[in-house]
Amino acid sequence: MAPSAEPPEEDRKHLHVRLTDQRSSVYDLVTEYLQAAGKAPDWYWRTAGRLEGSEGENLEELLTSAFEAGAFIAHDHPEDLKFVWVSEEECERERRTEERGDPREDSGKERSSLSHYA
């Protein structure tokens, strides 16, 4: 009998992408991509800030740009990224830490590019 193709629950992991430098801002990197691609960062950030659950008019453009920005960052700034495979338990623990606002975590990062678009 062939073994199950799906790993046991505790072995399933998913990917988290993090910045290696705690002082870096993903907003700055996305803004850099938008400028390099000839897109308007102010439109992007304002639209992202106003987007609500069912408002889908600009969703495809936002998602496409975010995906492209991720590829840009991974290509042009690979040293700024780390890839971590985590279990559901590790993910939940990280989420709880972020909710508590642990000052040692990413919660204190500067959001310079986003701040003047909000």
Side-chain angles (χ1 to χ4, degrees):
M1 183 175 245
S4 172
E6 201 168 301
E9 183 72 33
E10 63 274 359
D11 291 340
R12 283 191 226 151
K13 295 193 174 198
H14 60 273
L15 182 64
H16 282 196
V17 179
R18 298 287 181 248
L19 296 174
T20 56
D21 184 352
Q22 297 248 343
R23 295 166 297 176
S24 294
S25 169
V26 71
Y27 299 105
D28 291 336
L29 294 171
V30 170
T31 298
E32 179 183 332
Y33 156 73
L34 292 167
Q35 290 170 334
K39 298 182 179 192
D42 59 338
W43 172 86
Y44 184 86
W45 293 122
R46 285 185 183 133
T47 302
R50 286 191 313 259
L51 194 63
E52 295 186 15
S54 62
E55 184 182 331
E57 187 175 307
N58 297 310
L59 185 59
E60 185 173 350
E61 177 65 24
L62 288 172
L63 289 174
T64 300
S65 293
F67 187 79
E68 291 170 347
F72 169 83
I73 293 165
H75 183 267
D76 284 14
H77 299 279
E79 70 285 352
D80 290 336
L81 300 176
K82 65 180 173 181
F83 301 93
V84 183
W85 287 94
V86 297
S87 66
E88 288 298 323
E89 181 180 303
E90 294 164 327
C91 183
E92 182 64 23
R93 191 176 19 226
E94 184 178 308
R95 186 189 60 74
R96 283 193 305 269
T97 300
E98 288 174 2
E99 283 178 354
R100 281 194 306 265
D102 190 338
R104 294 172 293 148
E105 294 297 319
D106 297 340
S107 60
K109 285 185 184 173
E110 178 185 356
R111 303 289 194 240
S112 59
S113 289
L114 185 61
S115 63
H116 63 275
Y117 293 119

